[in-house]
Amino acid sequence: MKTYETERLILKDANIEDADFFLELYNMPSFIRYIGDRNLRTKEDAENYITNRFRPQFEKLGFGNYVVILKEDNTKIGAVGIFEREGLDVLDIGFSFLEKYEGKGYAYESANKLKEVAAKDFGVHKISAITTKDNFSSQKLIERLGLKFQKMVTIPNDEEELMYYEN
């Protein structure tokens, strides 16, 4: 299992030991509002999600969803990943952070690092991102990462039109 570091953060592969963290993160009202309800209600649901959704992509591509950890005290504060997403032709970068850690630059720091790693270690130079029309902080971060708005899209099993960005 490979980890990556920035000045303040450690990015580590999401695995089954992170189930409690993902249960909390994915049930935040802002996560459900902006990203969607993943129907994780128990630790077992979260373990299954990690096993069936996150781990296969790591095995197939070598990268996926990472837990973002503060170096100073080893606290899990968020997640960042580059994903194969149904309905999108280009790999998609995504991020989510516990609310008390938003607005401190951690999302940019971790997403920018992952973008660099994807290019250097895996040859992934083109990435995309999607977000809702009303998630202005996500739009700002996506643009700061160098992605430009392209068009509105809908992805399978979701009626909401999303903003689609690409670099």
Side-chain angles (χ1 to χ4, degrees):
M1 197 174 299
K2 191 145 170 78
T3 60
Y4 303 101
E5 293 189 25
T6 68
E7 183 182 332
R8 303 179 295 168
L9 307 169
I10 298 167
L11 281 63
K12 74 157 200 77
D13 293 15
N15 62 55
I16 204 156
E17 292 82 42
D18 301 310
D20 286 326
F21 173 72
F22 280 102
L23 186 62
E24 178 184 1
L25 184 67
Y26 282 23
N27 281 293
M28 291 186 321
S30 59
F31 186 97
I32 291 169
R33 176 180 174 199
Y34 292 126
I35 300 172
D37 189 348
R38 300 296 189 247
N39 295 308
L40 305 184
R41 302 296 178 255
T42 66
K43 182 177 181 175
E44 185 181 6
D45 291 342
E47 289 171 347
N48 289 332
Y49 196 87
I50 291 164
T51 301
N52 298 319
R53 299 289 297 267
F54 296 162
R55 297 311 310 163
Q57 185 178 309
F58 274 109
E59 290 158 18
K60 179 181 174 190
L61 300 178
F63 57 88
N65 200 12
Y66 295 84
V67 176
V68 179
I69 301 165
L70 279 180
K71 276 185 180 177
E72 68 183 40
D73 63 5
N74 248 12
T75 302
K76 295 175 184 179
I77 63 168
V80 63
I82 295 181
F83 308 97
E84 282 188 317
R85 196 174 305 276
E86 189 181 358
L88 297 181
D89 296 331
V90 178
L91 292 168
D92 170 55
I93 192 165
F95 39 83
S96 54
F97 283 77
L98 296 174
E99 288 167 354
K100 70 181 183 178
Y101 296 102
E102 291 176 355
K104 299 178 184 337
Y106 298 132
Y108 176 77
E109 188 174 327
S110 60
N112 195 51
K113 178 65 175 184
L114 186 54
K115 197 176 147 213
E116 288 173 9
V117 166
K120 188 168 116 313
D121 295 356
F122 300 101
V124 176
H125 298 285
K126 187 175 202 75
I127 59 169
S128 68
I130 51 176
T131 190
T132 58
K133 290 179 240 179
D134 59 344
N135 192 344
F136 302 112
S137 61
S138 182
Q139 293 167 29
K140 249 172 67 177
L141 174 55
I142 290 166
E143 290 170 2
R144 191 168 167 214
L145 288 168
L147 282 73
K148 306 271 183 269
F149 174 75
Q150 304 292 315
K151 60 187 174 185
M152 300 302 291
V153 298
T154 53
I155 57 173
N157 305 313
D158 187 355
E159 322 68 68
E160 185 173 11
E161 261 200 328
L162 300 169
M163 297 177 75
Y164 176 84
Y165 294 77
E166 233 179 62
N167 64 343

